[in-house]
Amino acid sequence: MKKRTISLVLGSGGARGLAHIGVIQWLEQHGFEIASIAGSSMGALIGGVFAAGKLPVYTRWVTALEKMDVIRLLDPSFSRTSLFKGERIISELKTLIGDPDIADLPVSFTAVATDMGSGKEIWLNSGPLFDAIRASIAIPTIFAPHKYQGRRMLDGGLVNPVPIAPTLADRTDLTIAVDVNAEPQSLDESGGSGGEDENQLSYHEGIVSFIDDLQKRWGSPKADDTGFFEVVSRAMDIMQGSIARYKLTAYAPDLMVNVPRNVCTFYEFHRARELIGIGGTCAQQALGRLNDSNGT
């Protein structure tokens, strides 16, 4: 039976974007051929790695990360524009994946970024893969803006968290979008692991302490009990959720996979294995009936 071709749209959402891996795995296991990918922020990273044919390599690497490994990948910028340079993680990924040109990828790929000067949405579908990815993940105040193609680029989720528009000209059977900033669900419904245990709280405190230490070096006042990182990540979630709802009224996909935003916090990359499983579960819930109706 001929595989159904799809345009896959992967949304922004920090560590929740690891659920995209589970969605991709489910799609490939159930008779779908991913012919085109567009992504913002973490969606651009996962989508680009998949388009390069290196998702299994990346998956083995990310599922082996422990809590301290995540912290070691953060390179303080010691500037007033961002907490981290973002160079260390990109260098690590280039070593792992290589840095092919987007035009040479076996799967069509577009990363979405934001032009810092004009505020316009920029589609990056040519040039070095990791320049496009680095531009798309330049989360304000977290990672420094990325200078590329004569522009200073910011995170794509600022203007289009679930970027369907780059796929509109695709000649595929279906457009499937994955929103990892969907409405919260109960733990049983979302497949989450439950409340924070002592180890998770310790990790949380370690991240906050690390951020607070950076702020002190800048001479900044101590963050309040909420925490600087939590305020920024929650603000991004709220903003991106609102923008995504607006964008999806204009460009609706054929099918939507929703990953609840309460399955993890922005920075819990050490939970990769669990989040990949959640992505697969959400794909089954959203697409299982479609798959059954087509007899595969």
Side-chain angles (χ1 to χ4, degrees):
M1 180 178 292
K2 182 181 178 181
K3 290 186 176 182
R4 286 157 291 170
T5 59
I6 64 171
S7 298
L8 184 61
V9 179
L10 303 179
S12 58
R16 290 190 301 274
L18 292 169
H20 292 315
I21 299 174
V23 175
I24 290 171
Q25 290 175 344
W26 190 94
L27 289 169
E28 292 195 309
Q29 291 165 5
H30 290 85
F32 295 92
E33 178 184 345
I34 301 169
S36 170
I37 290 188
S40 275
S41 199
M42 192 61 183
L45 194 158
I46 299 298
V49 169
F50 172 82
K54 298 291 187 178
L55 189 60
V57 175
Y58 175 82
T59 301
R60 287 192 294 271
W61 175 78
V62 77
T63 52
L65 289 179
E66 297 182 357
K67 296 172 183 178
M68 288 308 299
D69 295 324
V70 176
I71 293 176
R72 291 188 188 102
L73 287 170
L74 302 175
D75 45 356
S77 67
F78 304 110
S79 76
R80 295 187 179 274
T81 60
S82 65
L83 291 172
F84 308 111
K85 298 175 185 176
E87 295 173 2
R88 187 175 298 165
I89 178 62
I90 293 297
S91 176
E92 184 83 8
L93 291 173
K94 284 182 179 180
T95 300
L96 187 72
I97 306 299
D99 192 19
D101 193 281
I102 293 173
D104 297 329
L105 299 179
V107 175
S108 174
F109 172 69
T110 301
V112 173
T114 304
D115 185 330
M116 185 173 173
S118 68
K120 292 182 178 180
E121 177 178 337
I122 305 297
W123 297 356
L124 301 173
N125 49 23
S126 64
L129 174 63
F130 277 101
D131 267 326
I133 289 173
R134 175 62 182 84
S136 191
I137 66 170
I139 304 166
T141 74
I142 303 300
F143 291 124
H146 185 60
K147 294 180 181 178
Y148 182 53
Q149 296 182 348
R151 299 182 174 101
R152 298 185 75 194
M153 303 281 197
L154 293 173
D155 191 280
L158 294 172
V159 289
N160 202 345
V162 187
I164 294 171
T167 69
L168 292 179
D170 291 347
R171 295 184 177 182
T172 52
D173 297 324
L174 294 168
T175 297
I176 297 175
V178 187
D179 181 7
V180 294
N181 193 33
E183 289 300 311
Q185 295 181 9
S186 69
L187 295 176
D188 288 341
E189 292 174 313
S190 67
S193 62
E196 294 180 309
D197 58 20
E198 289 185 4
N199 288 334
Q200 178 55 33
L201 287 170
S202 176
Y203 177 61
H204 169 92
E205 291 165 0
I207 289 281
V208 172
S209 176
F210 185 54
I211 300 297
D212 284 348
D213 182 60
L214 291 178
Q215 290 180 302
K216 288 175 184 176
R217 295 187 191 189
W218 292 341
S220 303
K222 180 176 175 59
D224 65 18
D225 291 340
T226 305
F228 174 84
F229 203 77
E230 285 76 10
V231 170
V232 172
S233 61
R234 184 65 188 124
M236 288 288 290
D237 284 347
I238 293 169
M239 179 192 68
Q240 291 179 10
S242 178
I243 295 172
R245 287 191 295 273
Y246 170 76
K247 291 283 189 179
L248 289 170
T249 60
Y251 303 113
D254 295 304
L255 292 161
M256 193 78 173
V257 177
N258 290 309
V259 178
R261 62 175 174 264
N262 61 326
V263 297
C264 78
T265 58
F266 179 87
Y267 51 78
E268 293 182 279
F269 287 90
H270 67 286
R271 292 174 59 190
R273 195 175 302 277
E274 176 189 353
L275 291 165
I276 291 168
I278 289 172
T281 298
C282 291
Q284 171 63 38
Q285 291 172 347
L287 306 174
R289 290 182 182 178
L290 170 72
N291 195 63
D292 292 341
S293 69
N294 283 271
T296 58

Coordinates of all heavy atoms in Angstrom, one line a residue, residues 42 44 56 79 89 94 99 113 126 129 138 146 176 197 214 224 237 263-265 269 271 288 292 294:
M42 N 12.1 24.8 19.1 CA 12.5 23.4 19.3 C 11.9 22.5 18.2 O 12.5 21.5 17.9 CB 11.9 22.9 20.7 CG 12.4 21.6 21.1 SD 14.3 21.6 21.3 CE 14.5 19.8 21.7
A44 N 11.8 23.5 15.1 CA 12.8 23.6 14.1 C 14.0 22.7 14.3 O 14.6 22.1 13.4 CB 13.3 25.0 13.9
P56 N 17.5 9.3 14.8 CA 17.9 8.2 15.7 C 19.2 8.6 16.5 O 19.3 8.3 17.7 CB 18.1 7.0 14.8 CG 17.3 7.3 13.6 CD 17.4 8.8 13.4
S79 N 26.4 39.0 29.4 CA 26.0 40.2 28.8 C 24.6 40.6 29.3 O 24.0 39.9 30.0 CB 25.9 40.1 27.2 OG 24.8 39.3 26.9
I89 N 25.6 24.4 22.9 CA 24.7 23.4 22.4 C 24.8 23.2 20.9 O 24.7 22.1 20.4 CB 23.3 23.7 22.9 CG1 22.3 22.7 22.4 CG2 22.8 25.1 22.4 CD1 22.5 21.3 22.9
K94 N 26.4 20.1 16.1 CA 27.1 20.0 14.9 C 28.0 18.8 14.9 O 28.2 18.1 13.8 CB 27.9 21.3 14.6 CG 27.1 22.5 14.1 CD 28.0 23.7 13.9 CE 27.2 24.9 13.4 NZ 28.0 26.0 13.1
D99 N 26.7 19.5 9.7 CA 26.0 20.8 9.4 C 25.8 20.9 7.9 O 26.4 21.7 7.2 CB 26.8 22.0 9.9 CG 26.0 23.3 9.9 OD1 24.8 23.2 9.8 OD2 26.7 24.4 9.9
A113 N 12.0 32.0 11.9 CA 12.6 32.9 12.9 C 12.0 34.2 12.8 O 11.1 34.5 12.0 CB 14.1 33.0 12.6
S126 N 17.2 27.7 3.2 CA 18.5 27.6 2.5 C 19.6 27.9 3.4 O 19.4 28.5 4.5 CB 18.5 28.5 1.2 OG 18.5 29.9 1.6
L129 N 22.3 24.3 7.9 CA 21.2 23.9 8.7 C 21.2 24.5 10.1 O 20.2 25.0 10.6 CB 21.2 22.3 8.8 CG 20.1 21.7 9.8 CD1 18.7 22.0 9.3 CD2 20.4 20.2 9.9
A138 N 16.5 31.3 19.2 CA 17.0 32.4 19.9 C 15.9 33.1 20.8 O 15.4 34.2 20.6 CB 17.6 33.5 19.0
H146 N 20.7 35.7 17.0 CA 21.7 35.1 16.1 C 21.8 36.0 14.8 O 20.8 36.3 14.2 CB 21.2 33.7 15.7 CG 22.2 33.0 14.8 ND1 23.5 32.7 15.2 CD2 22.1 32.5 13.6 CE1 24.1 32.1 14.3 NE2 23.3 31.9 13.2
I176 N -0.2 17.8 8.9 CA -0.4 17.5 10.3 C 0.5 18.4 11.2 O 1.7 18.6 10.9 CB 0.1 16.0 10.6 CG1 -0.9 15.1 9.8 CG2 0.0 15.7 12.1 CD1 -0.5 13.6 9.9
D197 N 9.0 15.1 42.4 CA 9.6 14.4 43.6 C 10.7 15.2 44.1 O 11.1 16.3 43.6 CB 10.0 13.0 43.2 CG 11.0 13.0 42.0 OD1 11.7 14.0 41.8 OD2 11.1 11.9 41.4
L214 N 24.0 34.1 38.0 CA 24.3 34.9 36.8 C 23.8 36.4 37.0 O 24.5 37.3 36.7 CB 23.7 34.4 35.5 CG 24.3 33.0 35.0 CD1 23.5 32.6 33.8 CD2 25.8 33.2 34.7
D224 N 12.6 37.3 42.6 CA 11.6 37.0 43.6 C 11.3 35.5 43.7 O 12.0 34.7 43.0 CB 10.3 37.8 43.4 CG 9.6 37.4 42.1 OD1 9.8 36.3 41.6 OD2 8.7 38.2 41.7
D237 N 5.1 30.9 27.1 CA 4.0 30.0 26.9 C 2.7 30.7 26.6 O 1.9 30.3 25.7 CB 3.9 29.1 28.1 CG 4.9 28.0 28.2 OD1 5.6 27.8 27.2 OD2 5.1 27.4 29.3
V263 N 2.8 19.0 30.8 CA 3.5 17.7 30.9 C 4.9 17.9 31.4 O 5.5 16.9 32.0 CB 3.6 16.9 29.5 CG1 2.2 16.5 29.1 CG2 4.3 17.7 28.5
C264 N 5.5 19.1 31.3 CA 6.8 19.3 31.8 C 7.1 20.8 31.8 O 6.3 21.6 31.1 CB 7.9 18.6 31.1 SG 8.5 19.3 29.6
T265 N 8.1 21.3 32.5 CA 8.5 22.7 32.4 C 9.4 22.9 31.2 O 9.9 21.9 30.6 CB 9.2 23.1 33.7 OG1 10.4 22.3 33.9 CG2 8.3 23.0 34.9
F269 N 14.9 18.9 30.0 CA 15.4 18.1 28.9 C 15.9 16.7 29.3 O 16.0 15.8 28.5 CB 16.5 18.9 28.1 CG 16.0 20.0 27.3 CD1 15.9 21.3 27.9 CD2 15.6 19.8 26.0 CE1 15.4 22.4 27.1 CE2 15.2 20.9 25.2 CZ 15.1 22.2 25.8
R271 N 14.2 14.7 30.8 CA 13.0 13.8 30.8 C 12.7 13.4 29.3 O 11.6 13.0 29.0 CB 11.8 14.5 31.4 CG 12.0 14.7 32.9 CD 10.8 15.5 33.5 NE 9.5 14.9 33.2 CZ 8.3 15.5 33.4 NH1 8.3 16.7 33.9 NH2 7.2 14.8 33.2
G288 N -5.0 7.9 15.6 CA -5.3 6.5 15.5 C -6.5 6.2 14.7 O -6.5 5.2 13.9
D292 N -6.7 3.8 11.4 CA -7.5 2.6 11.3 C -8.4 2.7 10.1 O -8.7 1.7 9.5 CB -8.3 2.5 12.6 CG -7.5 2.2 13.8 OD1 -6.3 1.7 13.6 OD2 -7.9 2.4 15.0
N294 N -8.0 3.9 7.3 CA -7.2 3.7 6.1 C -6.7 2.2 6.0 O -5.9 1.9 5.0 CB -6.1 4.7 5.9 CG -6.7 6.0 5.4 OD1 -6.8 6.3 4.3 ND2 -7.0 6.9 6.4

